[in-house]
Amino acid sequence: MPKTLTSIEAFHEFIAEHRLVVIHIMRDHCSVCHAVLPQIAGIVNEFPDVPLGVINQSELEEIAGELSIFTVPVDLIYFNGKEMHRQGRFIDMQQFEHQLTLMYKSMV
């Protein structure tokens, strides 16, 4: 189940609490953002102990500056607190799953 992150502090805590995390950034009235979220959630659900954080940029405008986001949706993979993979606007689900698999296998 995705966790909604509503502050920059909550975002940083979420990243720090988990070794491998996925972050989905979206906006209100973005049909692509809302269509991509269940697909990303489905992929993440296949990886035990990998949490999914969701940030609504419409409610947390500062995230754009914090993460240099110029378009949505943006899906990020963080490993050991560092951004390791980013896809924006057009999300290639196969590539995203491949990158997540590589990082997940390196944890085991």
Side-chain angles (χ1 to χ4, degrees):
M1 173 121 182
K3 179 175 181 178
T4 302
L5 305 172
T6 57
S7 70
I8 299 291
E9 295 78 20
F11 163 74
H12 286 294
E13 287 173 17
F14 189 72
I15 299 296
E17 288 172 2
H18 306 283
R19 190 164 177 209
L20 179 61
V21 301
V22 173
I23 302 291
H24 177 76
I25 301 171
M26 57 191 290
R27 290 188 65 84
D28 291 339
H29 312 297
C30 171
S31 59
V32 174
C33 300
H34 293 279
V36 166
L37 179 55
Q39 295 175 54
I40 291 293
I43 291 170
V44 173
N45 283 340
E46 302 207 8
F47 296 88
D49 302 320
V50 176
L52 172 61
V54 177
I55 300 173
N56 185 336
Q57 187 183 348
S58 298
E59 297 171 8
L60 186 63
E61 293 286 340
E62 308 87 65
I63 200 69
E66 182 76 13
L67 299 177
S68 299
I69 292 174
F70 303 104
T71 187
V72 288
V74 174
D75 289 289
L76 307 158
I77 301 173
Y78 280 81
F79 186 63
N80 290 331
K82 295 181 182 163
E83 181 182 323
M84 300 300 287
H85 183 75
R86 174 185 290 229
Q87 286 192 33
R89 197 173 206 180
F90 302 107
I91 310 300
D92 181 336
M93 295 300 166
Q94 289 178 327
Q95 177 66 17
F96 188 86
E97 186 171 13
H98 175 72
Q99 291 297 319
L100 188 55
T101 299
L102 291 175
M103 287 176 243
Y104 187 79
K105 285 182 177 177
S106 73
M107 288 185 358
V108 180

